[in-house]
Amino acid sequence: MTTALQSPLHSAPVLRLRLAPRSELPRAIDGAWWPRSRDLLAELPQLLAGLPREWGHITSVTVNGAVWSAAPGRILVSNQVVRLHRALAANAPHTVVLLAPGRGRWDLVVVPPDTTEDAAEPLMAAAAAVPGTN
């Protein structure tokens, strides 16, 4: 008698995203994202799929071109075209900017993929904290 071993089902890794609570007041940073690699084409679809529905369809993403791997000017995510922009913003090297027409703009801190969990947790918590609370 032989026994066939089934490999466990492969599931997508958990999205490491922490968003600030909704507020009427504008924020400089709307949360934090901790991708697993610098491969934008691999990481971006999971990020966009995990965003709140009320953010609408993100049509434009701007990243720091110095820290992400090369990517085309646009990609198809869930049958929607998303334009990719690469900036060399020295003042915000670890951010990603998401735009949804008629809905808004969201700026997320990007925690570098090689950051340890102990170091990433306080960065993500700070980015999502309510201003004036500690």
Side-chain angles (χ1 to χ4, degrees):
M1 180 168 145
T2 62
T3 304
L5 296 176
Q6 291 182 335
S7 62
L9 295 176
H10 295 286
S11 60
V14 174
L15 177 62
R16 300 184 298 190
L17 175 68
R18 180 133 355 136
L19 300 175
R22 290 184 60 179
S23 170
E24 297 301 318
L25 299 174
R27 295 179 55 99
I29 295 295
D30 299 293
W33 174 43
W34 184 19
R36 288 180 166 70
S37 74
R38 293 269 182 215
D39 182 352
L40 194 58
L41 297 179
E43 299 293 338
L44 193 57
Q46 185 183 19
L47 170 64
L48 297 181
L51 296 174
R53 287 187 185 264
E54 55 270 11
W55 284 22
H57 169 63
I58 303 298
T59 60
S60 177
V61 175
T62 302
V63 298
N64 184 310
V67 297
W68 288 95
S69 61
R74 59 183 176 248
I75 63 171
L76 193 62
V77 177
S78 300
N79 293 321
Q80 300 284 336
V81 174
V82 177
R83 294 193 186 286
L84 301 177
H85 304 278
R86 298 171 64 84
L88 296 176
N91 61 337
H94 299 290
T95 60
V96 60
V97 178
L98 309 170
L99 296 174
R103 296 289 180 107
R105 168 186 167 149
W106 295 273
D107 292 36
L108 302 176
V109 168
V110 178
V111 177
D114 56 350
T115 305
T116 67
E117 188 171 347
D118 287 343
E121 181 56 35
L123 295 172
M124 294 185 73
V130 175
T133 63
N134 290 333

